[in-house]
Amino acid sequence: MLKQRDRHCIFCKTPLTQENRSKEHVIPKWLLYSLNVRKANIQPTHFSNKGEMLTKRQHTLEGLLAGQICKVCNCGWMSELEEVAIPIIKPLILGASVVVELNDAERQLLSRWTAKTAFVLNSSSNYLMNIPSTHFEHIRLHTNSLPFKVSTYGQQNHGDRPFYWIQSATWILNGKSNNISKIAAELKNSSYKIGFQFRKLMLLIGYLPLENIYPVIWKGIHVPLLPKNGKCGYYEKKEFSWLDSEKAFFEFHFGLQATILE
């Protein structure tokens, strides 16, 4: 029996039935094999804003499936996206190519793949579902743009941890405002920041929905995928944990900040 929220495809809104419902691997099968993590045990955990554990699951990465996708989307545009993204992603994972040297077309593909993977993860996880339904539709229909105020970034590390992800809605806020506490609270309920680490490759997608709030990137660390140019701030910091996958990914994810422009 499908749950209430499962009755429509998250991407195209087609009503789901037992016949047209697909079970999509959140982390694509080709990537599970490439990273050799199919049988890796994971414990996705959702913490409150106060650091209290709210829910916890336990299963293998291969068992991490999304059940809110129709077969037409799964076997259509999503399958086509995987096919063209694989030749770009595999060398990045191994460190045989570098994010900063990707051309515009490659950045667009990697950005769309990052968004698709992040949205599928969020829809199937025990975490805040802050992604607007229009964002799912946008990724399905548009190949060279992201939803308004969404941005994606890439970088690489020199460590060897095979896989990790972080979902959060917490931002370091820069700028002056009399309502910083209110803005921070609103972002916790409406923004999202989802990051992946696939061996040497790190990917990040962020959404700042509030007016006059824009991303602040770590210069030289957050390599923009889409949009390649746009309104944002930056800061400079000398030390980055290039050799430690865990620290590098943590710094990459939480190092994406926000600024208030009033």
Side-chain angles (χ1 to χ4, degrees):
M1 191 72 177
L2 294 177
K3 296 179 182 179
Q4 182 68 35
R5 69 174 185 174
D6 294 339
R7 290 180 179 172
H8 293 82
C9 174
I10 56 176
F11 289 107
C12 70
K13 301 304 178 186
T14 296
L16 292 175
T17 66
Q18 297 298 335
E19 290 71 30
N20 73 353
R21 186 189 189 200
S22 178
K23 289 190 176 181
E24 164 76 348
H25 284 86
V26 172
I27 307 304
K29 289 179 69 175
W30 69 266
L31 189 49
L32 293 175
Y33 278 92
S34 294
L35 297 172
N36 194 27
V37 293
R38 290 173 46 240
K39 302 301 181 182
N41 289 310
I42 59 173
Q43 296 181 335
T45 306
H46 178 198
F47 293 95
S48 71
N49 294 334
K50 297 181 180 179
E52 302 167 335
M53 186 177 71
L54 300 177
T55 59
K56 187 175 184 179
R57 297 177 179 176
Q58 185 169 348
H59 48 72
T60 64
L61 271 175
E62 189 175 42
L64 184 58
L65 303 173
Q68 299 169 247
I69 300 171
C70 71
K71 290 181 179 178
V72 172
C73 282
N74 191 23
C75 300
W77 70 269
M78 295 174 71
S79 178
E80 293 169 1
L81 177 58
E82 293 294 335
E83 185 176 349
V84 294
I86 289 173
I88 299 172
I89 296 172
K90 276 190 173 181
L92 294 171
I93 289 172
L94 298 173
S97 62
V98 291
V99 171
V100 72
E101 293 182 357
L102 296 177
N103 60 39
D104 288 349
E106 291 169 331
R107 291 186 189 216
Q108 289 173 5
L109 274 170
L110 184 57
S111 178
R112 189 182 184 213
W113 184 90
T114 300
K116 181 273 300 178
T117 306
F119 293 175
V120 171
L121 169 67
N122 182 262
S123 72
S124 61
S125 64
N126 55 333
Y127 184 68
L128 297 172
M129 295 187 178
N130 288 349
I131 301 175
S133 60
T134 53
H135 290 198
F136 291 88
E137 182 181 26
H138 188 106
I139 292 303
R140 177 176 68 91
L141 297 175
H142 300 272
T143 61
N144 59 359
S145 69
L146 294 172
F148 182 57
K149 300 208 74 174
V150 174
S151 53
T152 51
Y153 308 89
Q155 186 52 270
Q156 286 154 295
N157 69 89
H158 306 310
D160 56 7
R161 184 172 66 172
F163 174 79
Y164 205 76
W165 82 68
I166 299 175
Q167 297 189 81
S168 69
T170 301
W171 302 79
I172 295 174
L173 286 171
N174 302 274
K176 296 181 179 180
S177 173
N178 295 325
N179 299 309
I180 286 185
S181 297
K182 181 181 178 180
I183 292 171
E186 290 180 3
L187 288 176
K188 286 182 183 296
N189 293 321
S190 61
S191 74
Y192 60 79
K193 190 193 301 185
I194 303 173
F196 296 98
Q197 182 231 320
F198 303 117
R199 207 169 295 282
K200 298 189 181 303
L201 176 62
M202 300 182 294
L203 298 168
L204 182 60
I205 183 168
Y207 172 53
L208 289 164
L210 303 184
E211 187 177 357
N212 296 328
I213 308 293
Y214 297 92
V216 177
I217 64 174
W218 185 342
K219 187 176 182 180
I221 301 301
H222 294 108
V223 178
L225 299 176
L226 272 181
K228 190 175 179 181
N229 300 294
K231 185 180 289 187
C232 74
Y234 73 89
Y235 62 95
E236 297 186 61
K237 190 176 177 182
K238 292 183 179 180
E239 295 185 4
F240 184 74
S241 302
W242 296 104
L243 301 177
D244 187 319
S245 296
E246 182 175 355
K247 289 182 179 179
F249 182 53
F250 187 89
E251 293 171 359
F252 178 68
H253 183 93
F254 291 103
L256 179 62
Q257 303 178 11
T259 190
I260 304 167
L261 300 177
E262 292 189 338

